[in-house]
Amino acid sequence: MRDLWLISDTHFRHSNILKFTDGATGKLVRGDRFKDVDEMDEYMIERWNSVVKTGDIVYHLGDVLMGDKEWFKKNWPRLNGSKRLVVGNHDDIKFLAGGGFFQKIVESRDFREMGLLLTHRPAHPSQMWNYKKDCAMANVHGHIHQNPSPEGPYINVSVEAIDYTPVHIDTVAQQSKELLNV
């Protein structure tokens, strides 16, 4: 059986992200954890492969890469699973689509049967309604990194919020049920 995993905002090869600070605390977001971009990228590959198996599916909710495309071409195949992309604001769609890195590339994806809407940025509440089931949906998103999600049925899967490890969709579906009180 194939498992389905979710992750966002890896920002592979993005050395400047190591300099970003949290506005609330003033602490480095990633820089206090990783000495350089190589260590960061290797850690994310290790965490990914610790849970994702070869036949699994991974939905990456955007902002995959911000840097060396040659490194990416060589190292992306090291990540287990079939990958699907929900496009993020920093993604080079032409490069990512043209390279065959993803099985599918979409702007959003809903799993109506689980009450989940996958997007890169937190969605507007009007987008989170499943008319077929006449019920609300939880929005699984990235984009905001370590920051808390907006109030309401939102679940952040940015790497900083999930210890750099893809999250199983069943775990997220359970969180969704708790958020929606169903």
Side-chain angles (χ1 to χ4, degrees):
M1 185 171 135
R2 297 170 78 164
D3 286 311
L4 204 152
W5 302 91
L6 306 169
I7 193 167
S8 185
D9 296 282
T10 48
H11 286 251
F12 284 110
R13 304 317 292 165
H14 187 188
S15 57
N16 275 347
I17 202 165
L18 297 173
K19 299 174 186 173
F20 292 178
T21 57
D22 183 308
T25 66
K27 293 182 180 182
L28 292 169
V29 175
R30 292 192 193 184
D32 60 349
R33 183 170 191 153
F34 305 110
K35 69 177 188 235
D36 59 31
V37 72
D38 292 322
E39 183 180 60
M40 176 183 74
D41 291 347
E42 283 303 315
Y43 184 76
M44 288 190 291
I45 291 169
E46 175 190 311
R47 298 306 308 147
W48 182 302
N49 289 336
S50 75
V51 295
V52 178
K53 304 302 173 230
T54 303
D56 292 349
I57 296 172
V58 180
Y59 273 89
H60 194 300
L61 306 188
D63 290 2
V64 178
L65 165 73
M66 288 192 66
D68 185 347
K69 291 177 180 172
E70 291 306 312
W71 178 94
F72 184 78
K73 287 177 188 177
K74 188 170 86 177
N75 287 279
W76 185 247
R78 293 176 54 202
L79 295 167
N80 292 337
S82 297
K83 296 118 180 151
R84 297 174 181 183
L85 176 63
V86 174
V87 176
N89 58 303
H90 291 296
D91 289 324
D92 180 341
I93 300 168
K94 186 176 178 181
F95 169 74
L96 293 172
F101 304 111
F102 292 93
Q103 201 174 42
K104 293 180 181 178
I105 297 177
V106 296
E107 287 191 29
S108 66
R109 168 69 157 93
D110 63 54
F111 287 92
R112 291 184 175 132
E113 67 281 8
M114 295 181 167
L116 301 175
L117 172 64
L118 310 183
T119 61
H120 174 63
R121 296 176 191 224
H124 188 273
S126 66
Q127 293 177 277
M128 298 170 5
W129 190 261
N130 181 346
Y131 293 99
K132 285 192 174 182
K133 283 189 162 185
D134 195 30
C135 68
M137 299 176 79
N139 178 213
V140 184
H141 65 87
H143 186 65
I144 62 172
H145 295 270
Q146 79 287 351
N147 297 304
S149 291
E151 249 185 73
Y154 292 90
I155 300 167
N156 181 7
V157 295
S158 298
V159 294
E160 297 88 352
I162 59 171
D163 194 29
Y164 302 86
T165 308
V167 178
H168 198 279
I169 197 164
D170 289 345
T171 301
V172 174
Q174 183 57 44
Q175 289 175 315
S176 170
K177 286 179 184 177
E178 292 166 12
L179 286 170
L180 296 168
N181 295 316
V182 290

